Amino acid sequence: MSPLYIYNRNKQARKHILLVLALFLFLSGFPALAESKEVVVIGTVINQLPTLPTRVKVGNSEVPVTWDNVGTDLFNKVFEKVSVKGTALNKGVKTGVEASVWILPENLVYLIDAGRISPNKSQLFDAAKSLRGDALLNEQPDKKYTSAADQWGYIEKGTNKDQLVYVTPGDEQDWASSFISDGNDKDKGLVYKLTLQPGVYKITVAHVPRIKLSWASWLRVNNARVNTQTLQTTVSEDKIRPPVFISHDLKVTTPTTLTYETDKLSGQFWENASISLIAVEQVSSTVEAPIISSAGGDFWEPQLIRLTHKDPQAEIYYTLDGSKPDRNSTKYSNSISLDKTSRVSAIACTNDGMSKVLTADFVINTWAVTATAFKLAGAKEVNNIKINWMQRKDADLYKIYRDGMLIGEVKGDTFDDYNLPVGKTYAYYVEAYKEGSKVATAISQQATSFSPTGVVRTYDNKNGKYTSRGSDKPGGFKIGNLYFSYKFEKEANDWILYESYSPTGLANSWSTPRILASYPNVKFEGIGFQYNKKTNKVVVSAHYEDQAGYTAAKIYLAQITPKGELEVGTMERPLGYDSRDQSVFIDDDGTAYLLSATRTNNDINIYKLDESWTKPVLLVNTVFIGQHRETPSIIKQDGTYYFFSSKASGWYPSQAMYASSTRLDGAWTSLREIGNNSTFGAQSNSIRKLGEEKSITGLWSYHWGAQFHHKDPDGNFPRISVVSFNEGYASMDYYRYLEFHDTYGIIPVQNGKNLTLNAPVTATVAASKEGKAECITDGADMNSSGYFQAGSYPYSLTIDMQKIAKISEINLSTRMVNGSETAYQYTIEGSPDGQEYTTIVDGTNNWQVGFQILEVEDPSDFRYLRLNVLRVINVHNNNSATWAEGIYEFTAFGTPQ
């Protein structure tokens, strides 16, 4: 049997199988898959993902399309084409769709596909037009220059006959498939006219000559020959590729019509050094940028923005989403009203060209409250609500309302509403006042009291230990019918990555760990694992360093097939940027982003990852420039992104900060303080949601007690804060205990009522700065909040709780100065009458900084509490540190009698 017969027979068999398969899919209710035939043409610039359309036309219908994921590494060679595949579903039939993405120079003003005289088509020109719109000055791929009214085109060279155009057969998908050549006469070479406005330009020309010779090309400006360059031709068998590229740099100060010219080549015939492409990009412009009426910043109220230009004839175009404006963007005519956070980007266009882009970020802050339900220690019901809000510089008093009824007044930023009926939903809002006049009303939020049931695990935030664990819960990732657990840890000089699996995920059911990889003489930090549902693989991310030093600054991203192999996707600097503290954020649509501290921890970069989550493909945004933030993390709540980070402060606590945005690639609010001045004695690390019915968010922050100069006996452990959100505002609170529940997520448990909020305070010495003694009970303890600072010590501060109470816990928040952390040595006394005092906390040998959780075991009743500050010590050198002292907040919890 001949090979040809076998091939044809197999071919017929394949056709039969495909027909049967298509019939089966149709009868089974699955959409059939049509052959790929729909093609869209778009452009992008080098190293940038294209903006693919969300809908395409199939037949007479416009239908949604799903594109394959691609990375920026595919778009790395200018004037090349990348095909991106997609699938459109039209009337139950899947249709293959293809996007022909052409990679083009940025800021193109001409893209001439030479020889493409109508009706010849050019994908390259269509892509440039889709990318640049009216900014592209040639309205068709190529044409002849016929009169002075023309702005561009090839011209006739002699008096006897026209310059002839020869088109080599090809198709529209190959920009080098046709070119211009001349007849056999020995006159001037090829001449192209181009009209340019003032600016600096780069003119790139691709030649595909028929013969192999040296030749010259140049520009002629104002009848003078400039920028002459010599090239050596190279000719392939098809006389099309490879092309020879030549670039000419040009600066013009007035509107100018110039020519691009070439020698003729003397071979078998006199021929031009044939041209396939002319691309002109504007490198810079003499046109000044427009003026934005404000430099941007943070505002409480909507802003009216005006765009102007010193040339009244200039046209201004702008965008509000951070994209780059051009002549296709919104044309400015009237003032722009901004009622939400926006990035204003604007350009000016005149007869002299287009200006650079001017950008300003406008953050429109929404003043809102959060309301969080919590328990009191020993109670069964979650029937107390904590209300928080952002303090305003234009307010000195806040009134709190529940369901429209005034329930309290404070000067700080928090208030507790106790003993509410269970099973009801309450709405809270706050009014801000300045010298008796209302200045603002916050956006309200609701909270519901409830009575939880079931077993919980109780966590003690003082020492990081569980006081009750409840029933054993499965651990690891549930993938198929098994649970998988991974760990990446150092053993001797090696870092080893392990995998274990279990049928139940419970303790004592795990397989013997198997080694997936071993890395000698290196360091890994910030290790995290994520399960990618799209690939059914587990992704590991880490900051990677060489063993010695801290300068490699690389990212490690790899994916693990459960019970399979490890595939390393990235083990280098992401897109060339240094990377230290990092984390991976997964958006609602399953797209993954890498957050990375870069430029030696000065800035934060946000990168989009590929579909496998192991390769950065696009730098989405650089944010918080020069803020020196570490441990970046992002969470999304109600369509808003919230960014959290700590300050780079060694092992010691620091003020956590957050920002919010509606777009990862857009404008973010400025960094705002959250929690308290020391993140309750820790450094913010990661954020996550827990719970099935109630989605409660916790911020895991590390208390690095074992690394302190004077070690904390409790060592290192996470201190977990509860975070609440409302309209871009976030609040974070400390609770002594946290109950973890499968249904309710995190249930905060406060160790008694706040007995000192708004309590009067007297001091034995005058304050050495503006902060009065009463600021230590106003509930505000951010780094920017007021604090009491004495000029000398010892001194005492006496708090009158104005009621008798049993004290269960005291929190003390003190000032910190990075590099010279200060510890307070003190005693705390209690008295029922303000006459006789009993020591209830002895801190004479305290070396802990920032935030202290002090248990009170004395069961006596007290009305007055007295803090006696004995000294303030620099924990590193034991020297006195009066200059660095300051008390932010003194809070007592307990039960009023």
Side-chain angles (χ1 to χ4, degrees):
M1 188 179 293
S2 71
L4 179 60
Y5 177 79
I6 294 173
Y7 172 79
N8 287 333
R9 183 177 179 183
N10 289 342
K11 185 176 180 182
Q12 293 298 323
R14 283 196 298 272
K15 283 186 176 179
H16 177 72
I17 291 170
L18 289 174
L19 287 171
V20 171
L21 178 59
L23 180 62
F24 170 76
L25 291 174
F26 175 76
L27 294 175
S28 301
F30 288 93
L33 181 63
E35 291 185 4
S36 178
K37 56 182 178 181
E38 303 297 331
V39 178
V40 295
V41 178
I42 58 176
T44 189
V45 298
I46 194 165
N47 295 326
Q48 181 173 307
L49 288 174
T51 303
L52 296 166
T54 58
R55 302 178 68 86
V56 296
K57 191 170 183 180
V58 177
N60 295 322
S61 303
E62 234 187 40
V63 296
V65 60
T66 302
W67 298 102
D68 294 346
N69 285 338
V70 292
T72 53
D73 55 318
L74 294 177
F75 307 95
N76 57 11
K77 190 173 182 181
V78 75
F79 303 126
E80 291 290 329
K81 181 183 73 172
V82 175
S83 294
V84 180
K85 303 294 185 182
T87 304
L89 188 62
N90 183 28
K91 297 179 181 178
V93 178
K94 284 185 177 180
T95 300
V97 179
E98 178 183 317
S100 293
V101 183
W102 289 88
I103 305 151
L104 301 166
E106 198 168 6
N107 299 324
L108 273 176
V109 293
Y110 284 104
L111 192 287
I112 298 169
D113 193 351
R116 299 304 183 114
I117 307 302
S118 182
N120 289 331
K121 296 182 178 180
S122 166
Q123 274 198 2
L124 186 66
F125 169 78
D126 291 343
K129 200 67 179 174
S130 76
L131 184 67
R132 298 290 289 150
D134 292 341
L136 194 71
L137 300 178
N138 56 306
E139 69 281 0
Q140 63 189 71
D142 197 14
K143 72 174 184 179
K144 180 189 289 188
Y145 188 94
T146 58
S147 71
D150 288 338
Q151 297 291 303
W152 65 279
Y154 64 86
I155 66 171
E156 298 175 1
K157 306 187 310 304
T159 57
N160 296 328
K161 62 180 179 178
D162 294 348
Q163 175 175 296
L164 301 179
V165 177
Y166 300 99
V167 179
T168 297
D171 60 54
E172 64 174 311
Q173 300 184 39
D174 187 352
W175 61 266
S177 64
S178 62
F179 52 83
I180 295 176
S181 186
D182 187 32
N184 300 330
D185 56 318
K186 190 181 177 180
D187 57 5
K188 293 189 295 183
L190 178 70
V191 178
Y192 247 95
K193 286 218 171 195
L194 300 167
T195 301
L196 297 173
Q197 301 301 319
V200 178
Y201 296 89
K202 179 181 179 181
I203 301 172
T204 301
V205 184
H207 292 267
V208 283
R210 293 172 177 264
I211 56 179
K212 189 171 183 178
L213 283 174
S214 295
W215 49 276
S217 71
W218 59 88
L219 302 177
R220 188 177 299 276
V221 182
N222 297 328
N223 295 319
R225 180 169 163 171
V226 299
N227 210 280
T228 300
Q229 299 194 42
T230 302
L231 292 87
Q232 173 67 47
T233 66
T234 57
V235 182
S236 62
E237 290 183 3
D238 63 5
K239 296 184 178 179
I240 293 177
R241 292 180 182 272
V244 178
F245 286 94
I246 183 66
S247 292
H248 297 269
D249 296 323
L250 177 68
K251 179 178 181 180
V252 293
T253 56
T254 60
T256 302
T257 298
L258 56 105
T259 56
Y260 174 82
E261 304 176 8
T262 70
D263 274 338
K264 296 196 72 171
L265 304 182
S266 57
Q268 182 179 359
F269 303 102
W270 288 96
E271 299 177 290
N272 281 314
S274 305
I275 291 177
S276 182
L277 171 80
I278 299 177
V280 183
E281 54 185 309
Q282 186 172 6
V283 179
S284 64
S285 170
T286 58
V287 179
E288 292 187 16
I291 300 168
I292 302 178
S293 58
S294 169
D298 282 28
F299 306 92
W300 283 115
E301 304 296 336
Q303 296 295 297
L304 199 64
I305 308 302
R306 295 178 178 84
L307 305 178
T308 57
H309 196 270
K310 70 175 188 179
D311 182 353
Q313 301 303 313
E315 294 180 337
I316 301 173
Y317 298 87
Y318 69 92
T319 61
L320 300 179
D321 61 359
S323 60
K324 189 173 181 179
D326 57 26
R327 287 187 175 92
N328 294 315
S329 303
T330 304
K331 185 177 179 179
Y332 178 78
S333 58
N334 297 308
S335 300
I336 307 167
S337 180
L338 300 178
D339 58 2
K340 63 180 180 180
T341 296
S342 304
R343 175 168 292 168
V344 179
S345 302
I347 57 164
C349 300
T350 70
N351 291 333
D352 293 336
M354 184 184 300
S355 74
K356 291 184 178 180
V357 178
L358 186 68
T359 298
D361 284 351
F362 292 84
V363 176
I364 311 301
N365 292 304
T366 300
W367 195 49
V369 303
T370 59
T372 307
F374 68 94
K375 289 174 64 173
L376 292 176
K380 294 182 179 180
E381 297 173 335
V382 184
N383 64 338
N384 313 283
I385 309 295
K386 189 178 293 291
I387 306 99
N388 291 315
W389 56 91
M390 186 190 303
Q391 283 192 291
R392 299 174 62 114
K393 293 181 179 179
D394 59 353
D396 54 23
L397 180 70
Y398 303 92
K399 296 183 179 182
I400 302 95
Y401 294 82
R402 181 214 311 134
D403 295 336
M405 180 179 68
L406 179 66
I407 59 173
E409 299 181 6
V410 297
K411 294 183 178 180
D413 57 8
T414 188
F415 185 85
D416 288 353
D417 192 13
Y418 299 111
N419 303 323
L420 298 167
V422 173
K424 291 188 62 178
T425 298
Y426 304 91
Y428 294 88
Y429 67 89
V430 175
E431 293 178 344
Y433 287 80
K434 179 71 171 180
E435 298 176 352
S437 298
K438 185 169 69 173
V439 296
T441 301
I443 293 176
S444 64
Q445 192 180 56
Q446 295 181 336
T448 302
S449 58
F450 62 99
S451 184
T453 58
V455 179
V456 297
R457 293 166 293 144
T458 304
Y459 185 81
D460 190 339
N461 247 336
K462 182 180 187 299
N463 53 30
K465 295 179 172 58
Y466 283 93
T467 60
S468 68
R469 287 196 169 270
S471 58
D472 194 11
K473 300 294 180 183
F477 299 99
K478 178 89 181 284
I479 305 174
N481 295 322
L482 292 174
Y483 292 84
F484 289 85
S485 176
Y486 299 89
K487 60 180 180 179
F488 204 176
E489 56 189 17
K490 186 177 182 182
E491 297 181 9
N493 289 325
D494 295 348
W495 277 87
I496 302 177
L497 179 59
Y498 292 99
E499 177 191 75
S500 299
Y501 61 89
S502 161
T504 64
L506 301 178
N508 303 318
S509 68
W510 294 93
S511 66
T512 301
R514 73 179 181 105
I515 295 177
L516 293 169
S518 179
Y519 297 95
N521 303 318
V522 298
K523 291 187 294 189
F524 289 96
E525 295 179 339
I527 298 164
F529 296 93
Q530 303 269 5
Y531 174 54
N532 188 338
K533 293 180 180 179
K534 291 183 178 179
T535 61
N536 289 321
K537 298 182 181 181
V538 175
V539 175
V540 55
S541 60
H543 166 207
Y544 166 78
E545 283 290 345
D546 297 327
Q547 188 176 38
Y550 204 67
T551 58
K554 298 177 181 179
I555 186 71
Y556 176 89
L557 291 167
Q559 60 181 349
I560 305 163
T561 302
K563 283 193 170 184
E565 299 299 319
L566 171 78
E567 305 166 68
V568 177
T570 304
M571 205 167 175
E572 58 191 11
R573 292 187 169 194
L575 302 184
Y577 296 90
D578 66 302
S579 175
R580 290 178 172 84
D581 277 13
Q582 54 74 41
S583 69
V584 173
F585 163 68
I586 313 301
D587 210 341
D588 296 341
D589 62 358
T591 303
Y593 296 86
L594 172 68
L595 315 177
S596 164
T598 189
R599 206 165 62 85
T600 320
N601 286 340
N602 276 284
D603 313 334
I604 300 294
N605 276 354
I606 303 175
Y607 305 92
K608 182 180 179 181
L609 299 178
D610 68 353
E611 189 175 35
S612 72
W613 301 356
T614 65
K615 294 180 181 179
V617 294
L618 176 67
L619 176 59
V620 173
N621 211 345
T622 299
V623 293
F624 318 121
I625 296 172
Q627 296 295 306
H628 212 65
R629 306 303 296 178
E630 293 184 329
T631 59
S633 59
I634 283 180
I635 197 167
K636 192 176 185 182
Q637 179 76 23
D638 298 326
T640 298
Y641 299 93
Y642 294 85
F643 169 91
F644 294 83
S645 69
S646 68
K647 183 178 181 181
S649 55
W651 298 109
Y652 282 89
S654 66
Q655 170 79 67
M657 301 188 83
Y658 81 98
S660 61
S661 176
T662 56
R663 296 172 57 102
L664 289 174
D665 60 351
W668 287 75
T669 67
S670 59
L671 287 167
R672 302 164 171 172
E673 297 169 336
I674 191 171
N676 85 338
N677 70 307
S678 67
T679 314
F680 310 114
Q683 290 184 18
S684 80
N685 185 268
S686 62
I687 192 164
R688 69 193 82 160
K689 295 179 184 177
L690 296 176
E692 298 168 1
E693 286 187 10
K694 296 179 180 294
S695 179
I696 305 299
T697 300
L699 184 78
W700 271 248
S701 303
Y702 265 85
H703 176 84
W704 299 107
Q707 266 66 40
F708 292 169
H709 188 70
H710 295 270
K711 298 184 187 302
D712 185 333
D714 292 319
N716 300 336
F717 61 90
R719 185 160 284 160
I720 305 166
S721 306
V722 174
V723 184
S724 299
F725 307 94
N726 188 11
E727 297 288 340
Y729 165 64
S731 65
M732 184 173 77
D733 294 294
Y734 153 83
Y735 296 90
R736 174 59 186 274
Y737 304 104
L738 300 172
E739 293 180 352
F740 291 94
H741 195 288
D742 291 344
T743 300
Y744 307 106
I746 302 174
I747 300 175
V749 182
Q750 190 164 285
N751 200 8
K753 294 182 178 181
N754 186 335
L755 303 170
T756 51
L757 184 64
N758 279 346
V761 184
T762 56
T764 57
V765 296
S768 64
K769 60 187 296 292
E770 291 183 5
K772 297 180 180 178
E774 64 183 20
C775 74
I776 73 167
T777 60
D778 64 2
D781 55 356
M782 304 287 192
N783 197 51
S784 62
S785 301
Y787 57 86
F788 179 85
Q789 186 177 64
S792 62
Y793 47 71
Y795 65 89
S796 297
L797 293 165
T798 301
I799 299 97
D800 180 3
M801 296 183 291
Q802 299 186 312
K803 51 186 169 289
I804 293 292
K806 292 186 182 299
I807 310 300
S808 55
E809 177 181 320
I810 293 174
N811 293 165
L812 184 63
S813 298
T814 61
R815 190 178 175 216
M816 301 182 304
V817 178
N818 291 330
S820 300
E821 303 297 352
T822 52
Y824 279 66
Q825 297 182 341
Y826 57 87
T827 62
I828 299 175
E829 300 172 304
S831 171
D833 56 9
Q835 301 299 318
E836 298 295 328
Y837 281 87
T838 301
T839 298
I840 57 176
V841 177
D842 186 352
T844 53
N845 293 314
N846 172 63
W847 289 102
Q848 300 306 305
V849 304
F851 181 77
Q852 294 172 64
I853 301 170
L854 309 171
E855 292 184 283
V856 177
E857 298 178 353
D858 192 319
S860 304
D861 293 339
F862 302 107
R863 172 176 170 172
Y864 299 90
L865 296 174
R866 185 164 66 192
L867 172 66
N868 303 305
V869 178
L870 307 177
R871 62 190 65 84
V872 182
I873 303 295
N874 182 319
V875 299
H876 301 290
N877 57 27
N878 297 354
N879 291 336
S880 174
T882 308
W883 56 273
E885 67 110 358
I887 297 175
Y888 277 100
E889 198 72 11
F890 180 100
T891 307
F893 298 97
T895 306
Q897 300 301 302

